[in-house]
Amino acid sequence: MSVLITNIGELVTNRPGDQAGAAAFAAVAGAALVIDDGLVAWTGPASRAPAADQVVDAGGRAVLPGFVDSHAHLVFAGERSAEFAARMAGLPYQAGGIRSTVAATRQASDDQLRANLRKLAAEMLAQGITTFECKSGYGLTVPDEARSVALAAEATPEVTYLGAHVVPPEFAADRAGYVDLVCGAMLEACAPHAKWVDVFCERGAFDRDEAAAVLAAGQAAGLQPRVHANQLAEGPGVQLAVQAGAASADHCTHLDGADVDALASSDTVATLLPGVEFSTRQPYPDARRLLDAGATVALATDCNPGSCFSSSMALCIALAVREMHMTTQEAVWAATAGGARALRRTDVGHLGVGARADLVMLEAPSHSYLAYRPGVPLVAGFWLGGRGVVGGQQVVGGQQTVEGVRSGG
Ligand SMILES: [Zn+2]
């Protein structure tokens, strides 16, 4: 069945960027979009829209590609609100806080972890995130990491093996032994469920040589690399990511000139996670420097119970615009097409013909409202693989308005 969404105030289509053309924000005013068989079949001026089996009148609202969250940690148990409150009262963030979530996660049942993951994935979708990446990294034993990636794979194809999140307490005196485990039996148990291998390359976590070993072992097992890099201080993470051909170097909060140059002259996306700086009260990454140098920038939530327990891409966009001097167009591109690039996906993050019909409709006439009205829930509805939900109601046949769908009419 085909669906025509018409009377769209602003349709953000994006150009994802490839050999055919430069990546850029792109939008059409007074637009329409046709979905057929779960894919975008047509976009253009509403006055020229073709007929379809079902018509939804957007009432002048903006429609965007669904947000692509390329960095999230959703397989965990417990919460760390007391740590957050203490941090806001003056204690610094340290990588070791992860260990308290590790303890809770190991004690949780599969069903508890699954229920928490599903709740967070639903929370993301209701806020317009239609694709998300999900990491392991709170198990840190062979069985706990294996079940973490298996649970993540139930929820998303973008599963990342992050056995190298921190060294667990039982290996405190044997770091090399833990790296061997991450590169050996743990990897073997996790690789069948994962697409990506990641490592937290940071003081207090894994150094350059340890991180390089983890990425090389993961790549040998068929996984593609991504790196937690340069979050807390300058360090080797970004250079390592670029040298390994990583899809993404994530955080990029503390970069030197060589790091910026390396990102700008590579396919490695600089994924910025401003919710973390917000939640840890740290300086934001220098997005302008990266963009002006020509690096590809993505925005992601880093939703996790420690350093940023937010699943709001709208918050990331607002912070990127207000605090990091990205334009509203750059921020929205980074949260959609940029995230797709960071996951090496060409089927999401834009609304070109043939893209997955993953879209978000705003209770607003333009994308800029995501930063202009911070903290306000602006998602009027979403389509996921062509299936529409507006105001919590499934969009079903015939002629509909957004108000009509909402009222079940
Ligand atoms: Zn992370």
Side-chain angles (χ1 to χ4, degrees):
M1 190 182 71
S2 60
V3 183
L4 167 65
I5 306 173
T6 189
N7 196 16
I8 297 171
E10 179 194 50
L11 177 65
V12 176
T13 53
N14 280 341
R15 291 201 299 272
D18 52 25
Q19 295 90 334
F25 177 92
V28 190
L33 173 146
V34 176
I35 300 170
D36 202 358
D37 204 18
L39 303 176
V40 176
W42 185 90
T43 62
S47 58
R48 304 219 308 263
D53 302 325
Q54 179 186 350
V55 180
V56 177
D57 185 332
R61 292 172 181 80
V63 171
L64 284 65
F67 299 128
V68 179
D69 189 355
S70 61
H71 187 138
H73 305 249
L74 307 182
V75 185
F76 65 88
E79 56 91 31
R80 285 154 57 190
S81 58
E83 180 190 314
F84 173 80
R87 193 162 66 229
M88 291 301 104
L91 291 178
Y93 173 70
Q94 290 171 331
I98 292 165
R99 293 189 186 100
S100 68
T101 299
V102 170
T105 302
R106 286 176 177 176
Q107 283 176 12
S109 69
D110 288 3
D111 282 345
Q112 287 169 322
L113 294 176
R114 183 182 288 117
N116 196 40
L117 168 59
R118 284 187 179 169
K119 191 177 83 173
L120 292 168
E123 188 181 281
M124 283 180 158
L125 183 58
Q127 296 175 93
I129 293 172
T130 50
T131 300
F132 65 93
E133 181 258 20
C134 182
K135 301 173 196 298
S136 71
Y138 294 117
L140 310 184
T141 65
V142 173
D144 285 312
E145 284 298 297
R147 70 174 179 148
S148 294
V149 289
L151 288 164
E154 294 177 3
T156 177
E158 303 298 338
V159 176
T160 300
Y161 165 52
L162 182 58
H165 200 184
V166 290
V167 175
E170 64 273 19
F171 278 92
D174 182 19
R175 297 183 58 84
Y178 186 66
V179 173
D180 285 347
L181 184 67
V182 168
C183 297
M186 190 183 283
L187 171 63
E188 205 174 305
C190 291
H193 303 288
K195 173 178 172 183
W196 305 99
V197 58
D198 194 350
V199 56
F200 192 9
C201 183
E202 195 80 40
R203 199 178 311 155
F206 295 88
D207 68 20
R208 192 202 178 285
D209 290 348
E210 292 166 340
V214 169
L215 296 182
Q219 285 177 286
L223 305 182
Q224 301 174 62
R226 45 203 316 110
V227 180
H228 280 71
N230 302 52
Q231 175 188 354
L232 303 175
E234 286 186 16
V238 164
Q239 297 291 344
L240 175 67
V242 171
Q243 284 157 18
S248 175
D250 297 50
H251 287 290
C252 293
T253 309
H254 297 273
L255 302 182
D256 65 19
D259 294 331
V260 174
D261 291 346
L263 288 164
S265 58
S266 74
D267 288 335
T268 301
V269 173
T271 299
L272 309 183
L273 310 166
V276 174
E277 280 76 33
F278 177 82
S279 299
T280 57
R281 196 179 279 140
Q282 293 295 308
Y284 290 94
D286 192 344
R288 274 269 54 92
R289 188 180 180 201
L290 286 162
L291 287 164
D292 294 346
T296 302
V297 170
L299 288 170
T301 65
D302 198 8
C303 184
N304 77 85
S307 59
C308 179
F309 198 15
S310 175
S311 55
S312 172
M313 191 66 89
L315 172 66
C316 298
I317 290 169
L319 291 173
V321 171
R322 171 63 179 82
E323 301 292 333
M324 291 153 60
H325 303 273
M326 292 173 73
T327 67
T328 59
Q329 297 189 351
E330 286 168 340
V332 165
W333 189 92
T336 51
R341 285 275 285 271
L343 295 174
R344 301 242 160 113
R345 293 275 296 269
T346 57
D347 59 333
V348 296
H350 68 102
L351 296 178
V353 170
R356 267 179 66 96
D358 291 353
L359 19 141
V360 54
M361 181 186 288
L362 300 183
E363 193 56 58
S366 114
H367 74 278
S368 64
Y369 276 59
L370 290 162
Y372 172 50
R373 303 202 67 206
V376 177
L378 288 179
V379 174
F382 58 83
W383 275 256
L384 184 65
R387 283 186 46 210
V389 175
V390 170
Q393 301 295 315
Q394 186 90 26
V395 182
V396 288
Q399 298 265 336
Q400 297 263 20
T401 61
V402 170
E403 290 74 15
V405 178
R406 273 184 184 147
S407 64

